[in-house]
Amino acid sequence: MISRSTKIAIIGLGLIGGSYAKGLSKSNYNIIGIDIDEETLKFAKDYKWINEGGNNPELVSDADIVIFALYPSDFIEWIKNNQKYFKKNAIITDVTGVKESIISSINEILRDDVEFIASHPMAGKEVSGIKYSDTSMFNVANFIIVPTEKNTEKAISTVKDIAEILKFKNIVILPPKEHDLIIGYVSQLTHVIAVSLMNCRDSDNLVNYTGDSFRDLTRIAKINDKLWTELFILNKNNLIDEIDSFIQTLEHFKNALNIENKEEMKKLFNQSTERRKRFDKNETTSN
Amino acid sequence: MISRSTKIAIIGLGLIGGSYAKGLSKSNYNIIGIDIDEETLKFAKDYKWINEGGNNPELVSDADIVIFALYPSDFIEWIKNNQKYFKKNAIITDVTGVKESIISSINEILRDDVEFIASHPMAGKEVSGIKYSDTSMFNVANFIIVPTEKNTEKAISTVKDIAEILKFKNIVILPPKEHDLIIGYVSQLTHVIAVSLMNCRDSDNLVNYTGDSFRDLTRIAKINDKLWTELFILNKNNLIDEIDSFIQTLEHFKNALNIENKEEMKKLFNQSTERRKRFDKNETTSN
């Protein structure tokens, strides 16, 4: 169990790291913040979201728990260069949106006397930076813990504690392979669709003719280019399968339309309607 | 100009027809409601959304303005069978989501002493029936008037009056061909995408792993099968072009991902981000 004397380091105080610091400090946990940006550190200190902070990796040496909220490539780089500063038996976790490759990259290089337990808070916004930090996004979001057979119960329960302190709506455990397969569909494919819908036409003159549905489908087309390029490449095979499967579904619909097969079109509409309704039920029961 | 003595008939008191009746009656206009469903008529009368109503097409004979809120095929059928009851010089309008083919079908059969002016209220919900009637959806929606060279200024200003009484956010005029091209992209393609995203995987076990983005992208996958089958077939060529162009855009993205062309991926993300931001600006200025 995490206690008030547990020291938690957060590395990277962007939107997610900043929101973690905000939420954990509000519950009176002892937070060390590490970031390369002076203004970000000042912001976190001014709001008392961190007890101490700086640019120096040595600051982790007191931390019992270290949370990485960096881009995947920066996370791996940081471990390579600075893991010597970790406290013995420290528990390391992250917020990365894909898991199989990151878990294998980290475990390959990580010291034997610390433990990496992967987690994925499924929360985000179309903006970045500490000043947009907002813990309310966690209250409607899933938190996925992604253990391997090497992880201890202690490490799993530690990240579960963090998710509970941050008031995530729902905490689930998934194996890495299954996590990445699901994320390829529910998160990554949806982002590819939004970006492609926005890109497939020069839509500047269409602003006056769009309704809610177009706006809803393209909201996530405002996207962090560096982060999502990394996440997509790290889950490339799954995502390509999902895009292919989606294109096939579109082609099937197009063919039904082309030959004016009304029965098939209605069947497809009824299927999507029934499936989507089950998500409404879930929205009702879980809110 | 419409005056309080103008008699307005609404044919079809579903979600849209019912919401028209609600909004126009609240502003004290004289409404005749025609529907084949007894309960619907009772509902409209109980709420005083219609002054008189019934199942009998002869009821239109007093109306100066006749608004059709029927499925496209029922609209054409009604005109064929019952246009003899129209008052001379009556102005006929509709709410159909596609325009070129419906305008040509109606004008081909319509009496010479009445005038059809096409219009498209870009409002809707994922439910149907008079009991969901809601005029607030008009306050955030576009109203498109779709005249041909045959239409008179009087008819155009009449439907403009209706849109103003119903408090649509934005009233625009578009030629039929341009209307259908734009709708194929901003409305129909988005519905095909939502339906196909819901259909491309059996997602029952995924409810716990979806975030806001998946829910936003599939909200309109709950779809009226009869209505949208008709609308899509009436705009088949445009919609197939849009689906093809969208698939090409997806393939282009997939290829960039496949060869891990980070620069191209970032370029596509930046393009979608910049384009989508312009829609935010519009949201800000128009609200």
Side-chain angles (χ1 to χ4, degrees):
Chain A
M1 270 296 288
I2 303 185
S3 75
R4 292 298 194 282
S5 64
T6 308
K7 282 206 166 183
I8 305 172
I10 300 174
I11 304 185
L13 296 168
L15 174 68
I16 300 295
S19 301
Y20 267 53
K22 184 179 181 179
L24 293 169
S25 63
K26 271 190 179 171
S27 294
N28 296 314
Y29 288 89
N30 196 329
I31 309 296
I32 303 158
I34 300 178
D35 200 280
I36 52 170
D37 183 62
E38 275 304 319
E39 272 187 52
T40 296
L41 289 163
K42 186 179 178 316
F43 189 100
K45 281 175 189 167
D46 286 351
Y47 280 92
K48 301 195 168 37
W49 294 352
I50 59 178
N51 302 72
E52 51 179 323
N55 184 12
N56 182 357
E58 271 194 68
L59 284 165
V60 292
S61 50
D62 275 347
D64 307 292
I65 301 170
V66 186
I67 302 169
F68 283 86
L70 298 175
Y71 291 157
S73 57
D74 294 336
F75 174 26
I76 295 169
E77 209 54 34
W78 203 101
I79 296 284
K80 276 186 194 156
N81 298 330
N82 304 307
Q83 62 169 323
K84 56 181 172 289
Y85 301 119
F86 285 142
K87 189 175 173 178
K88 190 173 151 69
N89 296 325
I91 290 174
I92 318 294
T93 190
D94 69 335
V95 302
T96 316
V98 293
K99 289 297 171 214
E100 230 183 339
S101 69
I102 203 92
I103 291 171
S104 118
S105 300
I106 296 296
N107 281 339
E108 207 169 281
I109 55 177
L110 195 68
R111 278 165 44 185
D112 286 336
D113 60 346
V114 297
E115 178 173 353
F116 174 49
I117 170 74
S119 57
H120 178 196
M122 285 189 69
K125 287 188 181 190
E126 285 72 59
V127 286
S128 52
I130 194 167
K131 67 175 185 286
Y132 297 106
S133 292
D134 174 10
T135 55
S136 70
M137 65 182 166
F138 301 147
N139 310 148
V140 293
N142 297 310
F143 186 93
I144 313 183
I145 302 171
V146 193
T148 67
E149 66 280 7
K150 286 167 144 187
N151 280 117
T152 60
E153 278 307 315
K154 189 192 163 202
I156 294 170
S157 78
T158 298
V159 290
K160 193 158 176 276
D161 285 351
I162 292 171
E164 280 169 1
I165 296 164
L166 293 171
K167 300 194 176 64
F168 274 85
K169 186 184 83 175
N170 191 33
I171 302 170
V172 284
I173 293 184
L174 272 181
K177 198 183 176 69
E178 202 176 339
H179 171 277
D180 286 2
L181 203 62
I182 289 175
I183 288 303
Y185 175 62
V186 302
S187 166
Q188 297 192 327
L189 176 62
T190 55
H191 281 80
V192 172
I193 289 171
V195 165
S196 299
L197 178 56
M198 208 69 240
N199 282 343
C200 78
R201 237 179 199 272
D202 185 356
S203 48
D204 274 13
N205 61 334
L206 300 180
V207 173
N208 282 333
Y209 309 109
T210 53
D212 282 348
S213 37
F214 186 84
R215 286 172 197 271
D216 278 355
L217 263 82
T218 54
R219 183 177 56 83
I220 54 174
K222 285 187 293 182
I223 189 166
N224 180 323
D225 61 339
K226 180 174 185 303
L227 176 61
W228 286 88
T229 297
E230 289 196 16
L231 293 175
F232 282 177
I233 288 174
L234 289 174
N235 201 28
K236 183 172 114 172
N237 293 339
N238 285 332
L239 181 52
I240 286 177
D241 284 351
E242 294 298 335
I243 297 173
D244 281 338
S245 148
F246 179 65
I247 289 175
Q248 272 177 33
T249 313
L250 284 173
E251 293 279 7
H252 177 77
F253 184 88
K254 193 184 81 176
N255 292 338
L257 172 62
N258 198 29
I259 60 172
E260 301 187 13
N261 183 344
K262 292 179 193 181
E263 288 320 303
E264 183 62 18
M265 289 171 72
K266 285 180 188 172
K267 203 189 91 187
L268 295 168
F269 289 149
N270 288 327
Q271 185 183 47
S272 71
T273 301
E274 286 313 307
R275 285 185 176 174
R276 186 56 177 79
K277 275 183 186 166
R278 288 182 209 139
F279 285 73
D280 292 342
K281 277 185 205 153
N282 183 263
E283 280 165 355
T284 312
T285 52
S286 61
N287 286 330
Chain B
M1 270 297 288
I2 302 185
S3 75
R4 292 297 194 282
S5 64
T6 308
K7 282 203 165 185
I8 305 172
I10 300 173
I11 303 184
L13 295 169
L15 174 68
I16 300 294
S19 301
Y20 268 53
K22 186 179 182 181
L24 293 169
S25 64
K26 271 190 179 170
S27 294
N28 296 314
Y29 288 89
N30 195 330
I31 309 295
I32 304 159
I34 300 179
D35 200 280
I36 52 171
D37 183 62
E38 274 305 318
E39 272 187 52
T40 296
L41 289 164
K42 186 177 176 319
F43 188 100
K45 281 175 190 167
D46 285 351
Y47 281 91
K48 299 196 168 38
W49 294 351
I50 59 177
N51 301 73
E52 51 181 323
N55 184 12
N56 182 357
E58 271 193 68
L59 284 165
V60 291
S61 49
D62 274 348
D64 307 292
I65 301 169
V66 185
I67 302 169
F68 282 86
L70 299 174
Y71 292 156
S73 58
D74 294 336
F75 174 27
I76 296 169
E77 209 53 35
W78 202 103
I79 296 286
K80 274 186 194 157
N81 297 330
N82 304 306
Q83 61 169 325
K84 55 180 173 287
Y85 301 119
F86 285 142
K87 188 175 174 178
K88 190 174 153 69
N89 296 324
I91 289 173
I92 319 295
T93 190
D94 69 335
V95 303
T96 317
V98 292
K99 289 299 172 209
E100 229 183 340
S101 71
I102 203 92
I103 291 171
S104 118
S105 299
I106 296 296
N107 282 339
E108 208 171 280
I109 55 177
L110 194 68
R111 277 164 45 185
D112 286 337
D113 60 346
V114 297
E115 178 172 354
F116 174 49
I117 170 77
S119 58
H120 178 196
M122 284 189 70
K125 287 189 181 188
E126 285 72 59
V127 286
S128 52
I130 192 166
K131 66 175 186 286
Y132 297 106
S133 293
D134 175 9
T135 55
S136 71
M137 65 181 165
F138 300 147
N139 310 148
V140 292
N142 297 310
F143 186 94
I144 313 183
I145 303 172
V146 193
T148 67
E149 67 280 5
K150 283 168 143 190
N151 280 117
T152 60
E153 278 307 315
K154 189 191 161 198
I156 294 170
S157 77
T158 298
V159 291
K160 193 157 177 275
D161 285 350
I162 292 170
E164 280 170 359
I165 295 164
L166 292 171
K167 299 194 178 64
F168 275 84
K169 186 183 82 174
N170 191 32
I171 302 170
V172 282
I173 293 184
L174 272 181
K177 197 184 177 68
E178 203 176 338
H179 171 276
D180 286 1
L181 204 62
I182 289 174
I183 288 303
Y185 174 63
V186 301
S187 166
Q188 297 193 326
L189 176 62
T190 55
H191 281 79
V192 172
I193 289 171
V195 165
S196 300
L197 178 56
M198 208 70 241
N199 282 343
C200 77
R201 238 180 198 272
D202 185 356
S203 48
D204 274 13
N205 60 335
L206 301 180
V207 173
N208 282 333
Y209 311 109
T210 53
D212 282 349
S213 38
F214 187 83
R215 287 171 197 271
D216 278 356
L217 262 81
T218 54
R219 185 177 55 83
I220 54 174
K222 287 188 290 181
I223 188 166
N224 179 324
D225 61 340
K226 181 175 186 301
L227 176 62
W228 286 87
T229 298
E230 288 196 15
L231 293 175
F232 282 178
I233 289 174
L234 289 174
N235 201 28
K236 185 172 112 172
N237 294 338
N238 285 332
L239 181 53
I240 286 177
D241 285 351
E242 294 297 335
I243 297 172
D244 282 338
S245 149
F246 179 64
I247 289 175
Q248 272 178 33
T249 313
L250 283 173
E251 293 280 7
H252 177 77
F253 184 87
K254 193 184 80 176
N255 293 337
L257 172 60
N258 198 28
I259 59 172
E260 300 188 12
N261 182 344
K262 293 179 192 179
E263 288 319 303
E264 182 63 18
M265 289 171 72
K266 286 180 188 172
K267 202 190 92 187
L268 294 169
F269 288 149
N270 288 326
Q271 184 183 48
S272 72
T273 301
E274 286 312 308
R275 283 185 178 174
R276 186 56 178 77
K277 276 184 186 164
R278 288 182 209 139
F279 285 73
D280 291 343
K281 278 186 206 154
N282 183 263
E283 280 165 356
T284 312
T285 52
S286 61
N287 284 330

